[in-house]
Amino acid sequence: MKPELNIQPIDTWMPDPQKPVIIAGPCSAENADQVMTTARGIARLGKVKIFRAGIWKPRTRPNSFEGVGEEGLKWLKDVKEETGMLLTTEVANAEHVELCLKYGIDILWVGARTTVNPFSVQNIADALKGVDVPVMVKNPINPDLQLWIGALERIHGAGITKLAAIHRGFSPFEKTPFRNVPKWELAIEMRRTLPNLPMICDPSHIAGSRELLSYVCQKAMDLDMTGLMIETHIQPRAALSDAEQQVTPEDLGKLLSSITVRKSSNESIEFRSKLDQLRAEIDKLDDDLLHVLSTRMKVAEKIGEYKRDNEVTILQLNRWEEIMNKRMEIGQALGLSPDFTKQMYQMIHKESIRKQEEIMNTAVKA
Ligand code: PEP
Ligand code: MN
């Protein structure tokens, strides 16, 4: 069932939200000084619209730093007063929502560990009834698109129409280069399901390390995401949570300058007509390609019949060797990568064998 959500564009949350909208700040608010010096460094870059800091921290294991609580909301208020950046923090229950509203937090987000639990999300939604505050919903830790959509629907059900999704990757069981595997296809599917929903990428929690951040940021931009949420700390290595993935405000500046942001589309008539012309060419070539493939399969079927009538096996290894070698040579000469030619021929060959098997089986039945 396609969700029917009335979603307001992100420019109703803030003036002039140029792409990418950058959200930055520490994983956790730790003390007044850490919050303010980080915020000053970030504000100086002139590129960050929204300041983030976790006040209540959902930690995987007990006895880790679990956030400073209400006191930290005062430090955030000071940041807004001094720098003018909007504020966002994570809420996990109704009490968090009430406190955030009391301290004037501009935007709330639902964390990945909360999105997985419909009871918690409903509890947050109930506390939001009658309030006009933007809410961003992180993906659940498991790759379940419906659960992610369900959380957005619950918040929307409370009357919230300023909504966004945050893609922060999915918990892996095995060791991977990412802390949370991106599974970009899920974020793309979410955008296809709810095209008006702004999609923010959280490269910090996907990467889990400073080294991978730039790759993830660029990928998010190439997928035309609306914004980036990047954990930034005045002394990343001394951070009380997520020390491996945070960057200094200075390095955030370098990171942001290094990514290439392309326009999602260019509406000039000249661009459109040239693009339409090239797309028409591709459509025609794809049509030809499918016809050629279909003809090739028909010939393979004929060969199948012939093999059957002469009682020889489907797979003729020498012939397959010869095809592969020759096609790889031609492919290379035509500028196709060896990997591509090889994979394509493996697929074509597999389908030819499947067709020939069908033919052999009809013979058995007959
Ligand atoms: C965070 O943003 O610091 C956080 C706890 O993220 P997530 O909910 O994505 O784990
Ligand atoms: Mn974090």
Side-chain angles (χ1 to χ4, degrees):
M1 198 178 57
K2 211 170 161 68
E4 296 281 337
L5 301 191
N6 163 26
I7 298 167
Q8 295 193 50
I10 205 159
D11 62 10
T12 60
W13 306 17
M14 66 191 94
D16 192 28
Q18 285 179 18
K19 232 174 171 177
V21 172
I22 306 294
I23 305 170
C27 177
S28 304
E30 297 168 8
N31 57 63
D33 188 50
Q34 168 251 5
V35 169
M36 189 52 94
T37 41
T38 305
R40 285 185 185 135
I42 290 173
R44 210 171 294 134
L45 303 173
K47 294 180 173 178
V48 178
K49 284 260 173 201
I50 306 168
F51 185 75
R52 66 149 281 158
I55 296 293
W56 303 278
K57 298 304 298 178
R59 304 308 299 277
T60 303
R61 305 281 300 275
N63 307 320
S64 318
F65 173 67
E66 292 187 328
V68 291
E70 183 172 352
E71 196 189 358
L73 293 170
K74 297 182 200 143
W75 310 333
L76 294 188
K77 233 176 144 202
D78 292 342
V79 164
K80 186 171 176 179
E81 262 169 39
E82 186 176 317
T83 68
M85 288 187 286
L86 297 176
L87 303 172
T88 185
T89 197
E90 171 175 353
V91 291
N93 59 40
E95 192 200 339
H96 296 166
V97 172
E98 273 147 32
L99 282 168
C100 284
L101 296 174
K102 180 173 150 197
Y103 283 88
I105 301 299
D106 302 281
I107 301 160
L108 310 180
W109 91 73
V110 177
R113 290 165 188 78
T114 305
T115 307
V116 290
N117 186 340
F119 288 133
S120 301
V121 176
Q122 193 57 52
N123 177 254
I124 293 170
D126 292 343
L128 285 167
K129 284 215 175 88
V131 181
D132 179 25
V133 65
V135 179
M136 308 186 287
V137 179
K138 286 202 175 195
N139 66 254
I141 53 175
N142 54 322
D144 183 340
L145 184 63
Q146 293 307 316
L147 200 54
W148 196 3
I149 294 174
L152 285 155
E153 284 177 317
R154 285 178 196 278
I155 305 289
H156 183 265
I160 302 289
T161 52
K162 291 173 183 156
L163 284 167
I166 302 180
H167 173 226
R168 51 78 79 197
F170 302 90
S171 287
F173 176 62
E174 325 76 41
K175 215 174 154 25
T176 80
F178 300 102
R179 176 177 175 196
N180 290 293
V181 185
K183 293 191 184 290
W184 299 101
E185 65 283 6
L186 260 109
I188 294 170
E189 191 54 25
M190 175 62 110
R191 303 248 322 268
R192 233 172 46 83
T193 313
L194 293 168
N196 298 330
L197 183 70
M199 176 70 69
I200 310 287
C201 181
D202 172 348
S204 304
H205 290 89
I206 291 178
S209 68
R210 283 175 277 276
E211 294 67 38
L212 269 178
L213 275 181
S214 135
Y215 164 78
V216 179
C217 288
Q218 188 59 54
K219 180 88 185 176
M221 289 299 94
D222 293 343
L223 293 178
D224 199 20
M225 294 204 182
T226 312
L228 299 169
M229 183 196 251
I230 303 172
E231 285 189 342
T232 310
H233 191 292
I234 196 69
Q235 272 187 298
R237 286 179 171 79
L240 297 182
S241 57
D242 291 351
E244 305 76 31
Q245 71 198 28
Q246 303 201 59
V247 290
T248 60
E250 195 189 340
D251 284 344
L252 174 69
K254 288 185 195 148
L255 177 65
L256 295 177
S257 310
S258 75
I259 52 180
T260 309
V261 181
R262 296 179 185 86
K263 282 177 279 194
S264 13
S265 68
N266 183 327
E267 293 308 324
S268 89
I269 295 185
E270 197 187 330
F271 170 82
R272 292 290 332 166
S273 66
K274 180 77 187 157
L275 188 66
D276 286 348
Q277 185 193 332
L278 290 169
R279 283 180 174 162
E281 239 175 86
I282 289 274
D283 289 349
K284 165 83 177 67
L285 288 166
D286 276 348
D287 205 51
D288 292 351
L289 197 60
L290 289 169
H291 275 89
V292 171
L293 281 171
S294 158
T295 311
R296 192 192 190 283
M297 288 306 158
K298 291 204 177 85
V299 176
E301 280 172 29
K302 268 194 205 144
I303 296 177
E305 281 164 20
Y306 198 61
K307 285 176 184 165
R308 176 195 62 200
D309 298 343
N310 290 280
E311 295 177 344
V312 298
T313 56
I314 294 180
L315 183 66
Q316 300 283 313
L317 261 186
N318 293 348
R319 167 71 181 148
W320 173 229
E321 258 316 284
E322 183 193 314
I323 290 189
M324 246 335 199
N325 292 341
K326 280 205 183 133
R327 305 303 184 264
M328 294 289 287
E329 241 173 69
I330 300 173
Q332 192 135 21
L334 292 173
L336 298 174
S337 82
D339 221 32
F340 171 74
T341 313
K342 189 169 167 192
Q343 284 188 35
M344 184 182 66
Y345 267 96
Q346 277 167 343
M347 277 176 67
I348 291 175
H349 189 235
K350 198 168 150 203
E351 180 64 4
S352 295
I353 288 187
R354 196 188 62 76
K355 292 248 180 225
Q356 295 189 352
E357 272 165 2
E358 263 175 23
I359 287 166
M360 293 282 176
N361 290 340
T362 31
V364 172
K365 277 183 216 131

